[in-house]
Amino acid sequence: MAAGLALAGLAFPLGQVARAEEPKEIRLDWATYNPVGLLLKEKGFLEEALAPRGIKVRWVQSLGSNKALEFLNAGAIDFGSAAGAAALVARINGNPIKAIYAYSRPEWTALVTRKDTGITKPADLKGKRVAVTRGTDPHIFLIRALQGAGLTERDAKLVLLQHPDGRTALDRGDVDAWAGLDPMMAAAEIENGDVLFYRDAAANTWGLLDVREAFAKENPDLVRVVIAAYERARAYALANPQALSAALVAATKLPEPVIARQLERNDLSQPAIGPAQAESIKAAGLALQQAGVIPAGTDVAAAVDGLLDPSFNPVAGR
């Protein structure tokens, strides 16, 4: 045993610590509500950056923040796209994630109905069937809209569906309203003439890239590589808006006017994690706490601080 320890000591000179072996694969989600991530996948910037290190990239589609957060919690992906408020609720519920990058500041959700329902405001949802994807920004947006009208989730009849199925249910008349998400929401507007009867851009929390906390601790350099690749894709998107549109058209099979509507509601200019995200997510968290979604004893401000990690913020000009 002593000889074994001596040999182990010879392997690493005094003061040198053995480095954990790098993963052979990095797993990220892609989602139609994350235009920058979608363009990153198409252009192969991350694959290019990791090829010299022999690290592969695997892309997994997520259909909503709830799915991305589930994948992260299960260890099925290392990086996932989610709305800030949804990520906060997940972390409070024990999902060990950190938000490290803001891929967009979107108005990606609103409350949607058909032209013929007579619904014009959140108060009209009392007793109505509303399609929603639990654990996503549209769900949180719905809760806050109902709260503003003096209602709770229990006052409406929630029909739990993933986002694309929510739009389909609205089209078929199976529900009276839908807590929408782009680009499906933009398609409902343009293709069906559906009405966004309640909008509040400030109540849409940021689109954030989250990482498993354990992965970030073990591989901080790889987190920086991922963010640098995201930054390359974001810069490319801003310089080549037609390429961004084409990537979304190809992924969603939706026509260009629909994608144009989605993109005009996305601000890609503020990628760094900081006070803007903290204020937005805290406001959502306090509203959810008041609605009973977040436990009364939770320190929301501290939870937001625990979620957001600005230490990986992109460096200007890098």
Side-chain angles (χ1 to χ4, degrees), residues 124-169:
D124 295 335
L125 296 177
K126 186 172 184 178
K128 301 294 186 182
R129 298 161 299 170
V130 184
V132 64
T133 307
R134 188 176 291 284
T136 65
D137 224 29
H139 178 217
I140 294 166
F141 185 87
L142 172 64
I143 291 171
R144 295 177 74 180
L146 291 170
Q147 188 178 40
L151 303 174
T152 71
E153 288 183 288
R154 292 179 293 277
D155 292 306
K157 298 174 182 176
L158 301 194
V159 180
L160 303 182
L161 298 167
Q162 281 300 134
H163 301 298
D165 298 325
R167 184 204 168 184
T168 299

Side-chain angles (χ1 to χ4, degrees), residues 110-114 170 176-180 185 188 194-198:
L111 300 185
V112 188
T113 192
R114 296 184 305 280
L170 183 65
D176 305 296
W178 167 47
M185 183 170 74
D194 291 340
V195 179
L196 276 54
F197 69 91
Y198 180 74

Side-chain angles (χ1 to χ4, degrees), residues 62 93 109 232 247 254 258 273:
S62 59
N93 288 334
T109 187
R232 186 177 172 189
L254 292 170
V258 170
I273 294 292

Side-chain angles (χ1 to χ4, degrees), residues 26 63 67 72 106-107 115 118-119 133 176 195 205 212 229 236 243-244 273 283 288 293 307:
I26 290 181
L63 296 176
K67 292 300 179 185
L72 284 164
E107 185 192 359
K115 291 179 291 186
I119 295 171
T133 307
D176 305 296
V195 179
T205 57
R212 292 190 297 110
Y236 191 94
L244 181 63
I273 294 292
L288 293 173
V293 176
L307 171 68

Side-chain angles (χ1 to χ4, degrees), residues 3 11-12 27 35 67 91 104 114 133 154 159 173 175-177 217 221 262 283 298:
F12 301 102
R27 303 158 302 168
K67 292 300 179 185
R91 184 172 170 89
S104 73
R114 296 184 305 280
T133 307
R154 292 179 293 277
V159 180
V175 296
D176 305 296
K217 286 180 179 178
D221 182 52
Q262 174 189 3
T298 303

Side-chain angles (χ1 to χ4, degrees), residues 99 102 206 208 270-281 304 308-310 313:
W206 292 68
L208 302 182
Q270 303 178 64
I273 294 292
Q277 292 86 13
E279 291 168 11
S280 173
I281 298 168
V304 172
L308 301 179
D309 186 352
N313 273 347

Side-chain angles (χ1 to χ4, degrees), residues 15-159:
Q16 181 177 328
V17 179
R19 290 182 60 191
E21 188 176 338
E22 285 190 334
K24 293 181 173 58
E25 180 180 76
I26 290 181
R27 303 158 302 168
L28 301 91
D29 81 327
W30 68 273
T32 57
Y33 55 85
N34 177 357
V36 176
L38 186 57
L39 190 63
L40 174 62
K41 175 179 178 288
E42 181 183 271
K43 302 304 292 185
F45 294 150
L46 184 56
E47 287 84 350
E48 181 183 325
L50 292 173
R53 299 164 78 151
I55 299 174
K56 302 294 184 183
V57 178
R58 180 154 62 90
W59 294 94
V60 178
Q61 184 178 12
S62 59
L63 296 176
S65 294
N66 62 327
K67 292 300 179 185
L69 292 164
E70 286 173 15
F71 293 158
L72 284 164
N73 198 33
I77 58 175
D78 305 306
F79 297 85
S81 317
L88 175 66
V89 174
R91 184 172 170 89
I92 288 171
N93 288 334
N95 193 338
I97 55 171
K98 289 284 189 179
I100 54 171
Y101 183 81
Y103 58 80
S104 73
R105 183 181 187 181
E107 185 192 359
W108 53 14
T109 187
L111 300 185
V112 188
T113 192
R114 296 184 305 280
K115 291 179 291 186
D116 59 357
T117 63
I119 295 171
T120 61
K121 56 189 182 298
D124 295 335
L125 296 177
K126 186 172 184 178
K128 301 294 186 182
R129 298 161 299 170
V130 184
V132 64
T133 307
R134 188 176 291 284
T136 65
D137 224 29
H139 178 217
I140 294 166
F141 185 87
L142 172 64
I143 291 171
R144 295 177 74 180
L146 291 170
Q147 188 178 40
L151 303 174
T152 71
E153 288 183 288
R154 292 179 293 277
D155 292 306
K157 298 174 182 176
L158 301 194
V159 180

